[in-house]
Amino acid sequence: MTVYLIKSGICLLLLLAAYLLLLEKEKMLRFNRFFLLASLVLSLTIPVFTIQLPAVKLPMARIAPVQYILDNDISATVTTHHHIPTNNITIPGDVLPLSFYLLITYAIIVCILFIRFIRNLLVIYASIQNNTQVTSYNATIVLVPGDIIPYSFSKYIFVSKNAYENSAIENELLLHELTHVNQKHTLDILFIEMLKVIFWFNPVFILYKRAIQLNHEFLADEGV
């Protein structure tokens, strides 16, 4: 497992470095989105596979004399130590290995992060159910009390109720969030958030989330 984590971590870093150096400033925004998501998938799957190289046949060495010496040494060792007393030998009780405690710690943290992830989703859907909804274009606008910056989740766009009713929200802002909705950017965020829950110990996923969100903003600006 440790080898897999090291290999996947190296793949993540290399692909992210390639993106930041070669693609981030390019205007291939849709390809960049695909590259970031594909980098995550490939980095987690490539280390699973192993490449089998053909075995090289080496000439047989004469090992009979060596085997004869080993047999004699083993016989001599057994004979010499045959009468070692065993009264003072103590057998330790069952001791759990360190890996067991590390696994338990990992599982507890994953459970805590997953519960927080589910709680955040429930808060969003509670806001949807408890506030006025207006259907517009291909999205549903949720009118939230108080002053908030418009944001989107799935097919929903959350805006200030007071600003919306007074036509104080610029159309560009609504079109920006509508692009997020139409291009289903929420799926990307949910995907990276689940990876962050599972691989919470790897900070590279935080960098990937930032790169994905920045790419989403560029795509939304282009849509406007």
Side-chain angles (χ1 to χ4, degrees):
M1 186 64 177
T2 303
V3 175
Y4 168 80
L5 293 176
I6 294 175
K7 290 181 178 179
S8 63
I10 292 174
C11 290
L12 286 167
L13 284 173
L14 291 177
L15 291 174
L16 181 60
Y19 172 79
L20 296 176
L21 293 174
L22 303 176
L23 297 175
E24 185 181 31
K25 296 181 180 180
E26 300 296 329
K27 295 184 178 181
M28 303 180 296
L29 300 179
R30 289 173 179 78
F31 176 79
N32 289 353
R33 180 187 181 187
F34 169 79
F35 182 89
L36 287 169
L37 296 176
S39 297
L40 293 170
V41 175
L42 290 176
S43 297
L44 297 176
T45 55
I46 288 178
V48 176
F49 301 99
T50 57
I51 300 175
Q52 296 289 345
L53 298 177
V56 179
K57 293 184 178 180
L58 299 176
M60 296 295 294
R62 296 180 61 187
I63 59 173
V66 178
Q67 185 64 40
Y68 175 77
I69 295 173
L70 290 176
D71 291 340
N72 289 341
D73 288 345
I74 293 173
S75 300
T77 303
V78 172
T79 303
T80 303
H81 299 85
H82 182 70
H83 299 290
I84 295 177
T86 59
N87 295 333
N88 296 327
I89 298 178
T90 58
I91 301 175
D94 295 336
V95 178
L96 294 175
L98 178 61
S99 59
F100 173 79
Y101 295 102
L102 292 177
L103 181 62
I104 293 299
T105 303
Y106 166 80
I108 292 174
I109 296 177
V110 168
C111 289
I112 293 174
L113 294 177
F114 182 73
I115 292 172
R116 188 181 70 173
F117 175 72
I118 296 299
R119 185 197 63 185
N120 292 338
L121 291 180
L122 293 177
V123 169
I124 292 174
Y125 282 109
S127 178
I128 295 171
Q129 297 297 324
N130 297 331
N131 292 294
T132 305
Q133 301 178 22
V134 178
T135 302
S136 178
Y137 299 101
N138 296 325
T140 300
I141 299 177
V142 181
L143 306 181
V144 181
D147 295 329
I148 65 168
I149 299 175
Y151 66 94
S152 60
F153 180 84
S154 186
K155 66 176 182 177
Y156 301 97
I157 299 176
F158 299 82
V159 300
S160 169
K161 181 178 181 181
N162 182 57
Y164 182 83
E165 292 177 345
N166 292 303
S167 300
I169 302 177
E170 298 179 358
N171 289 332
E172 287 78 5
L173 287 177
L174 291 178
L175 289 174
H176 182 96
E177 297 304 325
L178 184 61
T179 304
H180 286 308
V181 171
N182 291 336
Q183 296 186 5
K184 296 179 173 51
H185 292 168
T186 301
L187 297 178
D188 300 359
I189 299 301
L190 291 177
F191 177 58
I192 188 64
E193 285 293 343
M194 284 303 303
L195 292 180
K196 285 176 57 185
V197 169
I198 299 173
F199 300 98
W200 53 265
F201 50 85
N202 192 340
V204 179
F205 289 99
I206 299 176
L207 301 179
Y208 267 93
K209 181 182 177 181
R210 291 177 182 173
I212 289 173
Q213 288 178 319
L214 184 59
N215 175 254
H216 287 174
E217 294 305 314
F218 288 149
L219 285 168
D221 290 340
E222 182 186 58
V224 174

